[in-house]
């Protein structure tokens, strides 16, 4: 097993679209009482500055303040009343924008993720933003966490190169839906939604 190192903030691009691409192939690590659960990021979406589909569009609120932190912090929110969503803040402090983590390829702690999700099929454990947060037991308690240092939730790298990264329009947005701001590992079975060549 490759050694994991936390991503350094200086390595993160100060640009939301560039960060969404950069995070493909990196590792999302969740430290839980029963052990480590982690997966390789295979799909992201960028919600850039001034994006009408982004939570920062109307300015900072108590709910979205983590999007305005320095790049590399967690922004966790509830969508559709049930699903937690994990984003990574992506710009300089005070500028609201983020990258939605849409899908992971599970690596460590697969049995933990299976228990958390109540499913056994590897492909379905973290294929989709709500599934991956359930698999890693991510909730609003982790909102605002610094992901660039080891802790309950952090981003790691192991030198892996993700291969060909494809790009498409985002999934499930109605505003600014024409923007090709979704990035994913081409031909990965762990990607959510319809894959466009």
């Amino acid at each position: 097993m490759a050694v994991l190192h936390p991503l350094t903030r200086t390595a993160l691009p100060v640009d939301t679209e560039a960060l969404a691409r950069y995070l493909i192939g990196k590792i999302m690590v969740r430290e839980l009482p029963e052990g480590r659960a982690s997966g390789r990021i295979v799909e992201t979406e960028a919600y850039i500055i001034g994006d009408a589909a982004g939570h920062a569009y109307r300015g900072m609120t108590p709910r979205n303040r983590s999007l305005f932190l320095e790049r590399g912090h967690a922004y966790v929110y509830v969508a559709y009343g049930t699903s937690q969503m994990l984003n990574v803040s992506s710009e300089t402090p005070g500028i609201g924008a983020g990258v939605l983590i849409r899908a992971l390829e599970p690596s460590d702690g697969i049995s933990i993720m299976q228990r958390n999700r109540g499913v056994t099929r590897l492909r379905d454990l973290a294929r989709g933003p709500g599934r991956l947060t359930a698999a890693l037991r991510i909730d609003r308690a982790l909102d605002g966490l610094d992901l660039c240092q080891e802790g309950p939730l952090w981003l790691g790298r192991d030198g892996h190169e993700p291969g060909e990264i494809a790009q498409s329009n985002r999934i499930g947005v109605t505003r600014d839906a024409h923007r090709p701001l979704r990035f994913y590992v081409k031909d990965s079975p762990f990607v959510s939604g319809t894959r466009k060549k």
Side-chain angles (χ1 to χ4, degrees):
M1 182 189 302
V3 177
L4 277 185
H5 301 281
L7 294 186
T8 60
R9 198 163 337 273
T10 54
L12 302 182
V14 190
D15 174 84
T16 304
E17 186 173 346
L19 181 62
R21 182 181 287 275
Y22 174 81
L23 288 174
I24 298 292
K26 305 305 186 288
I27 309 292
M28 180 62 63
V29 183
R30 179 74 165 107
E31 307 287 3
L32 292 162
E34 62 270 41
R36 172 179 289 180
S38 69
R40 191 174 303 283
I41 298 170
V42 294
E43 183 182 4
T44 61
E45 285 182 346
Y47 289 84
I48 60 178
I49 297 169
D51 190 336
H55 282 198
Y57 184 63
R58 299 193 188 281
M60 190 188 304
T61 68
R63 176 181 181 237
N64 72 10
R65 63 174 183 77
S66 297
L67 273 179
F68 293 80
L69 296 173
E70 190 174 17
R71 68 195 188 283
H73 286 80
Y75 167 53
V76 183
Y77 69 93
V78 178
Y80 314 114
T82 56
S83 298
Q84 310 280 338
M85 302 287 173
L86 171 64
N87 293 251
V88 180
S89 61
S90 55
E91 297 285 341
T92 55
I95 304 294
V99 174
L100 174 66
I101 308 301
R102 281 200 60 91
L104 303 176
E105 178 179 344
S107 49
D108 290 332
I110 289 170
S111 62
I112 295 171
M113 289 189 253
Q114 288 170 329
R115 284 194 302 275
N116 289 341
R117 283 282 333 280
V119 298
T120 57
R121 190 172 180 218
L122 186 64
R123 179 174 180 259
D124 291 333
L125 281 182
R127 186 172 53 88
R131 290 174 175 180
L132 80 84
T133 55
L136 298 181
R137 219 181 303 151
I138 294 169
D139 59 23
R140 285 277 298 164
L142 300 173
D143 182 55
L145 197 70
D146 185 353
L147 301 174
C148 294
Q149 60 182 21
E150 292 187 47
L153 183 68
W154 55 282
L155 288 165
R157 59 178 173 80
D158 62 358
H160 171 83
E161 292 297 328
E164 186 176 352
I165 298 174
Q167 191 170 350
S168 77
N169 292 354
R170 294 173 297 190
I171 296 172
V173 298
T174 54
R175 292 177 290 182
D176 282 347
H178 64 285
R179 298 176 188 242
L181 294 173
R182 173 177 170 253
F183 301 90
Y184 59 95
V185 176
K186 188 176 181 182
D187 299 324
S188 169
F190 298 97
V191 167
S192 71
T194 303
R195 295 189 292 280
K196 296 181 181 176
K197 303 276 184 187

